[in-house]
């Protein structure tokens, strides 16, 4: 899987299709991040979320995990020199095997994996959460409407060809999180219910 080729246009493309919803959903719960939090972002993309976090919270530190070199370079380039010490950029596709985080953020990341692989990823990330940590997940939901199904088919067709993603359909990420014992604390929907952002705790 590689998002290198799509990295230059990823944000424009996603905003063209989903408008302000794609950003609004990801911003929605950032205000709940406690001061001084140690945050793990997995599959953060071009890194605009780092600016958004620092805008509402100047005291947190971030570990930013990206499997695409091009996405990572974009993210690194946008962080001011003053803020650089507070962000650790890691070019890797393995889930971290150590570290303990107050907040984990996975936005439009869980949808890349087939269920059997996602189960293992969810479990590994859960292990990285502090006991009272929070996990912010933003992703698509299949509400069963025809337009949602068609849009999902189109997106999976596109990203399968361009980025060679492993999933062929939207995995039941919400169900798999629940099966792993994660509690959904709050949720909000965007784009007529097609995008969900939620906070989970252990
Ligand atoms: C669909 S994009 C979403 C980007 C960003 N979260 C957003 O919403 O704009 C998924 C991102 O996850 C990254 N990714 C895929 N597999 C990964 C892995 N195993 N570890 C870290 N990043 C990964 C991709 O390179 C890509 O940048």
């Amino acid at each position: 899987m590689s998002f290198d080729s799509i990295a230059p246009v990823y944000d424009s493309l996603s905003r063209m299709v989903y408008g302000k919803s794609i950003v609004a959903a990801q911003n929605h719960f950032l205000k709940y991040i406690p001061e001084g939090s140690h945050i793990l972002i997995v599959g953060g993309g071009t890194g605009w979320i780092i600016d958004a976090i620092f805008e509402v919270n100047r005291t947190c530190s971030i570990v930013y995990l990206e499997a695409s070199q091009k996405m990572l370079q974009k993210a690194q380039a946008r962080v001011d020199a003053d803020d650089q010490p507070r962000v650790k950029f890691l070019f890797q596709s393995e889930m971290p095997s150590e570290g303990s985080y107050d907040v984990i953020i996975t936005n439009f990341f869980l949808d890349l994996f087939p269920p059997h692989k996602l189960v293992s990823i969810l479990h590994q990330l859960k292990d990285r959460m502090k006991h009272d940590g929070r996990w912010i997940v933003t992703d698509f939901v299949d509400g069963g409407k025809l337009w949602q199904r068609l849009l999902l088919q189109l997106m999976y067709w596109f990203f399968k060809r361009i980025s060679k993603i492993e999933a062929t359909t939207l995995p039941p990420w919400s169900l798999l999180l629940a099966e792993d014992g994660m509690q959904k604390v709050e949720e909000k929907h965007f784009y007529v219910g097609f995008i969900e952002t939620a906070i989970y705790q252990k």
Side-chain angles (χ1 to χ4, degrees):
M1 173 173 4
S2 174
F3 275 72
D4 278 355
S5 63
I6 195 98
V9 295
Y10 181 84
D11 286 345
S12 315
L13 195 64
S14 61
R15 285 164 203 197
M16 202 168 78
V17 179
Y18 296 108
K20 291 181 181 159
S21 301
I22 203 95
V23 172
Q26 296 184 60
N27 281 342
H28 187 72
F29 286 125
L30 297 184
K31 56 184 179 288
Y32 289 0
I33 297 176
E35 290 291 310
S37 287
H38 192 36
I39 304 173
L40 171 68
I41 301 177
V42 186
T46 63
W48 65 263
I49 191 95
I50 301 173
D51 297 338
I53 291 170
F54 285 156
E55 239 171 67
V56 293
N57 190 326
R58 302 290 309 167
T59 57
C60 54
S61 58
I62 298 174
V63 172
Y64 196 88
L65 216 88
E66 242 302 329
S68 155
Q69 185 74 266
K70 291 276 189 298
M71 288 287 201
L72 198 70
Q73 281 165 359
K74 275 181 153 286
Q76 272 173 312
R78 67 190 310 146
V79 176
D80 293 340
D82 287 353
D83 288 329
Q84 287 281 354
R86 293 198 287 128
V87 191
K88 186 175 176 187
F89 291 98
L90 295 176
F91 173 48
Q92 73 179 59
S93 55
E94 297 303 312
M95 295 305 105
S97 56
E98 53 190 35
S100 178
Y101 297 89
D102 302 292
V103 178
I104 292 179
I105 299 178
T106 53
N107 290 340
F108 302 101
F109 171 73
L110 305 184
D111 59 7
L112 304 176
F113 304 96
H116 70 276
K117 185 137 190 203
L118 188 53
V119 166
S120 150
I121 288 173
L122 295 179
H123 203 68
Q124 291 174 77
L125 290 177
K126 184 183 173 189
D127 280 350
R128 301 278 66 79
M129 280 176 84
K130 286 188 183 166
H131 181 64
D132 58 351
R134 296 150 205 226
W135 186 342
I136 300 175
V137 182
T138 309
D139 224 308
F140 298 108
V141 285
D142 181 355
K145 298 193 177 77
L146 182 63
W147 66 268
Q148 295 175 343
R149 293 267 162 94
L150 291 175
L151 207 44
L152 282 169
Q153 274 180 21
L154 184 67
M155 282 193 296
Y156 278 96
W157 176 85
F158 179 79
F159 283 109
K160 191 91 193 157
R161 266 140 204 87
I162 300 292
S163 303
K164 309 268 183 296
I165 63 167
E166 292 173 57
T168 49
T169 53
L170 186 68
W173 57 268
S174 183
L175 182 72
L176 297 178
L177 276 163
E179 282 178 3
D180 203 12
M182 298 296 296
Q183 312 281 336
K184 192 190 280 187
V185 179
E186 207 176 324
E187 67 180 31
K188 171 122 177 115
H189 289 89
F190 293 81
Y191 205 77
V192 213
F194 191 42
I195 295 173
E196 175 175 319
T197 187
I199 298 193
Y200 285 84
Q201 286 184 338
K202 278 191 190 181

